[in-house]
Amino acid sequence: MLAKTVLAALLISSALSVGSAFAGPAAGLARPLRSAPPSQFITATKFTLAPFAFVRFCKDNSGSCDAGRGDAEVSMTPALRAELLRINSTVNRTIIAQNDDDGDDVWAQDVTSGDCEDFALTKRHQLIKAGWPTRSLRIAVAKTRAGEGHAVLVVRTSEGDLVLDNRTSAVRTWNQTDLKWIKIQSGDNPRLWYDI
């Protein structure tokens, strides 16, 4: 019980340190009705700890971990879908896949080589530069079918939560992947994470 209380205090402290992270813009209230069924969207359950390497990333890149802006869900259009596919494919082709040394997990964005979370952070950064709302772009951690830890970018859209994975240029809804989901960032405050 004490551990849960300490965890809750840490999470609240983290939320308060970035301002009013849960206060979304008024425009976010006028989101279009979802066209995808509810099963196409990830249900986050309870607060959990962020990956330690992500905490270090935020310490060194605080602007990339600021409170989310814009709508939490993107109304997908053919042009936006094409842009999403292009950025996913381009990042997958241009970053050379290379695992971190054992015991030295480093998360970075806009790199020339890196592992799964570096791909995910770079895709997030590229989409933000293209004008996508930060609240719709969340990093998630999962396990592959082989049991390896894996990180991907999840984009919340009117078509569902779409997964941008460095293992494929195909973009699928979260429940059409081979991943076993563990945790995901909050769209409102990227420093907060939830169990899936």
Side-chain angles (χ1 to χ4, degrees):
M1 183 63 174
L2 180 60
K4 287 184 180 181
T5 304
V6 170
L7 176 59
L10 287 172
L11 292 172
I12 290 168
S13 172
S14 175
L16 294 175
S17 70
V18 294
S20 49
F22 294 107
L29 299 175
R31 271 184 282 171
L33 294 175
R34 291 182 177 160
S35 56
S39 64
Q40 301 292 87
F41 297 92
I42 292 173
T43 301
T45 55
K46 61 183 178 179
F47 286 120
T48 191
L49 294 175
F52 181 71
F54 176 76
V55 174
R56 285 192 316 207
F57 170 80
C58 287
K59 183 176 180 280
D60 297 336
N61 303 276
S62 61
S64 294
C65 300
D66 288 343
R69 295 177 304 279
D71 290 332
E73 183 179 301
V74 173
S75 290
M76 192 60 87
T77 64
L80 288 175
R81 178 169 264 290
E83 183 172 56
L84 189 72
L85 291 169
R86 179 182 55 77
I87 288 173
N88 185 54
S89 180
T90 300
V91 172
N92 284 352
R93 279 194 325 271
T94 57
I95 295 178
I96 298 167
Q98 181 177 1
N99 289 332
D100 290 327
D101 294 331
D102 286 341
D104 188 29
D105 191 22
V106 176
W107 289 36
Q109 64 189 18
D110 293 333
V111 295
T112 55
S113 65
D115 55 6
C116 56
E117 69 273 354
D118 306 324
F119 282 84
L121 287 168
T122 299
K123 291 172 189 181
R124 183 178 188 275
H125 189 245
Q126 294 295 320
L127 287 167
I128 291 168
K129 285 189 344 189
W132 289 63
T134 58
R135 288 181 67 215
S136 69
L137 307 171
R138 300 169 296 154
I139 306 296
V141 175
K143 291 221 182 250
T144 65
R145 188 173 290 161
E148 297 173 323
H150 192 53
V152 295
L153 179 65
V154 177
V155 182
R156 179 150 286 197
T157 75
S158 55
E159 296 177 359
D161 282 333
L162 302 180
V163 176
L164 281 64
D165 191 333
N166 65 298
R167 301 174 305 151
T168 178
S169 288
V171 173
R172 298 182 176 94
T173 55
W174 77 284
N175 58 353
Q176 294 177 335
T177 69
D178 65 345
L179 297 172
K180 181 178 178 190
W181 298 92
I182 300 171
K183 60 176 88 176
I184 191 165
Q185 284 179 306
S186 162
D188 294 320
N189 179 354
R191 295 173 191 264
L192 298 180
W193 287 64
Y194 293 93
D195 285 330
I196 299 175

